[in-house]
Amino acid sequence: MDTRSFSTVPTLSRQRSYERLQVDADRMFDIGWLIARLTSELRQMLSTEPATTPSQFFGSLRRDAGRRFVWGMLHAHTKSVERILDLQKLFPEHDQFIKKLQEEREQQIDAFSKLLISKRWDTLRDDDSSWRKFANVMFGLNETTPETAERFFALTDYIHMLTLVILGKEQPYFDDTADGEPSSPQTLEEPVPGKIDTRAALKLFLRGDWFDKFSTDKKRFTTKWREDMVNALLDSDYGQTIIDDFTNETNNRRLIVKGVIVGCLKAAGVFEESDLSLARTILYPVGTPEPTSKEEESERKTKASTLANYIGQSKKRKHEKIYYWVLDWMKDHPAES
C-alpha cells in the first residue's frame, strides 16, 4: 500500500484536523445526503449513456474525477454493514454494542485523519458543486494513488455507517435483542414520511449529558430503555402527531416536542429538578460559549423560559394523553434495576 499520504509525524495541523473530526463526528460523517446525491448522479450517468459498454464506462471513470468519486463512494457503500453485524454478534447487549461502535469509530477516524485529503472533508456541503470540487481536489493530488483512493472510500463509508447506527438512523437493520435473532422482515422499513429522522433525532436528544445529570436513577434509565420508549411512542397512536410537529418546516415545533417529552418523563418521576434548570442545561450545556451581547443573553433567557414552559405543559390539553401513555408504558416496561 502507498504510504505517501500518511503523516509519519503527528503535526499540529494533523492533530487539529483529527480533533475536529472526532469532536464533530456525528455531523461530519452523517452523509446520507451525499450518498443520495451520488446515487442520483449515477442514475443520470447510466440513463444518458444506455449504449455504453463496460470498458467504455470504466474508461470514462478513469478520465473524470467526478465519476471516479461517484463510483468509488457507492462501491464502498456496499461493504460496511457486514463488519458492523460482526461487531454486534460479539457485543449483543445494546449499550455495550453502541460503546464498541463509538470506540471503533474513534480508531477509524484516526486512520482517516492521516489521509491528506481528510483535511478538506469539512468543505463538503449539501449541494452538487461541493462534492465535485472535492473530487477534483482529491484526484488532483499526487498522493492519491488507486490504493489510497480505495482506502479513503472504505474508511469514509465505514465511519458513515458506524455513525448512522450510533445515531439510531440505521437501527431497523440491526437486532436489539440479546439472543442475536434477526428482526422480523416486516419491521425493517418504515414507510411513514419523517419517521426515521424523527426517531433518530429524539434518540440522540435523550442521549444528551443532561439526561443523566437530572435522572433520578442513572443505572435504571439506560440508553436502551430511552430508545425503546422513543420507538414505542412513535409507533403509538400519538406517533403521527409527534412526527408532524417535529418535521413541520413552516412552524418549527421541535422545541415543543422535546419539551413535552421531557415534561412527561419528569412528571412520571424520571427527572427531579425545576423546569427552568432542565431547560437551561438542555439548551446551553457545559462548554457553551458565553453570550457576547445583551441581546444574545436576553434571547437565551427567552428561549430557556419558552422550553421550560413546554416542559410544564405535560398534563395540559392534547399533551395530557401523551403523559398518560408514558405512565402506562413505564408500568409495562420498568427501568432496569
Side-chain angles (χ1 to χ4, degrees):
M1 177 184 294
D2 183 273
T3 59
R4 289 174 292 173
S5 61
F6 286 68
S7 300
T8 55
V9 178
T11 64
L12 181 60
S13 175
R14 199 293 234 187
Q15 182 64 23
R16 285 175 177 169
S17 174
Y18 164 77
E19 290 173 354
R20 184 171 65 252
L21 291 168
Q22 290 285 11
V23 169
D24 207 11
D26 283 354
R27 179 186 66 84
M28 295 179 74
F29 291 99
D30 184 5
I31 54 170
W33 59 268
L34 177 60
I35 300 301
R37 285 184 178 277
L38 298 183
T39 301
S40 176
E41 181 70 12
L42 180 62
R43 290 196 186 107
Q44 182 68 20
M45 288 161 50
L46 296 175
S47 66
T48 56
E49 299 174 357
T52 301
T53 65
S55 61
Q56 290 172 326
F57 178 73
F58 286 105
S60 72
L61 295 183
R62 288 192 296 271
R63 292 189 297 272
D64 186 279
R67 290 189 168 200
R68 288 177 69 185
F69 188 79
V70 170
W71 181 258
M73 282 293 293
L74 296 182
H75 183 61
H77 191 58
T78 64
K79 298 182 178 181
S80 300
V81 173
E82 232 175 86
R83 298 176 68 180
I84 297 176
L85 286 173
D86 286 342
L87 286 174
Q88 191 183 44
K89 291 176 183 177
L90 294 173
F91 302 92
E93 201 280 320
H94 186 269
D95 287 352
Q96 288 185 350
F97 176 51
I98 295 299
K99 182 179 179 181
K100 182 60 182 176
L101 293 188
Q102 290 169 335
E103 294 172 353
E104 178 76 358
R105 187 174 70 173
E106 289 179 7
Q107 294 174 6
Q108 299 302 316
I109 290 176
D110 180 55
F112 177 85
S113 68
K114 294 173 183 175
L115 294 169
L116 185 60
I117 190 61
S118 72
K119 294 179 181 178
R120 297 186 59 88
W121 183 246
D122 62 355
T123 64
L124 283 170
R125 298 291 182 270
D126 191 359
D127 59 63
D128 283 326
S129 62
S130 174
W131 68 261
R132 293 182 194 279
K133 290 178 182 176
F134 185 93
N136 286 330
V137 171
M138 175 177 172
F139 289 105
L141 294 171
N142 292 331
E143 290 83 354
T144 306
T145 65
E147 292 79 13
T148 53
E150 183 178 357
R151 181 164 176 75
F152 167 83
F153 291 127
L155 283 168
T156 302
D157 185 68
Y158 188 36
I159 298 169
H160 164 55
M161 292 302 297
L162 288 167
T163 300
L164 290 187
V165 182
I166 290 169
L167 294 179
K169 293 189 175 183
E170 286 293 338
Q171 192 64 30
Y173 293 99
F174 302 97
D175 170 35
D176 272 346
T177 61
D179 59 11
E181 290 297 321
S183 302
S184 169
Q186 286 81 5
T187 66
L188 294 184
E189 282 299 325
E190 300 172 86
V192 179
K195 189 172 186 179
I196 292 177
D197 288 344
T198 301
R199 188 189 301 273
L202 290 178
K203 287 181 179 181
L204 182 61
F205 171 62
L206 294 179
R207 285 188 194 138
D209 292 340
W210 62 268
F211 192 106
D212 282 340
K213 179 177 181 179
F214 295 117
S215 174
T216 54
D217 194 326
K218 300 176 180 61
K219 293 183 179 179
R220 293 177 62 222
F221 300 114
T222 63
T223 299
K224 175 70 163 59
W225 183 87
R226 300 172 220 173
E227 293 186 349
D228 286 347
M229 191 274 291
V230 170
N231 287 336
L233 180 57
L234 293 186
D235 289 338
S236 73
D237 293 339
Y238 311 109
Q240 190 59 57
T241 298
I242 292 171
I243 293 166
D244 289 343
D245 280 348
F246 206 78
T247 57
N248 188 313
E249 295 181 359
T250 304
N251 301 305
N252 191 338
R253 299 192 178 106
R254 289 194 168 205
L255 203 63
I256 298 177
V257 173
K258 291 178 178 180
V260 170
I261 289 176
V262 172
C264 289
L265 290 172
K266 182 190 173 190
V270 176
F271 304 120
E272 52 179 7
E273 189 55 79
S274 72
D275 296 344
L276 189 56
S277 292
L278 271 166
R280 285 171 177 164
T281 305
I282 289 170
L283 292 171
Y284 311 112
V286 175
T288 301
E290 293 295 322
T292 57
S293 65
K294 290 185 178 180
E295 290 78 10
E296 185 181 354
E297 183 178 5
S298 176
E299 184 180 345
R300 287 191 182 189
K301 288 181 179 179
T302 299
K303 191 172 182 180
S305 177
T306 301
L307 179 56
N309 183 50
Y310 294 146
I311 291 174
Q313 289 184 8
S314 59
K315 298 182 183 179
K316 295 181 181 180
R317 296 186 294 277
K318 68 175 183 179
H319 305 316
E320 181 183 24
K321 294 181 179 180
I322 297 177
Y323 163 68
Y324 284 114
W325 180 93
V326 170
L327 283 183
D328 289 340
W329 187 85
M330 288 181 65
K331 289 177 184 176
D332 295 333
H333 302 82
E336 298 176 10
S337 57

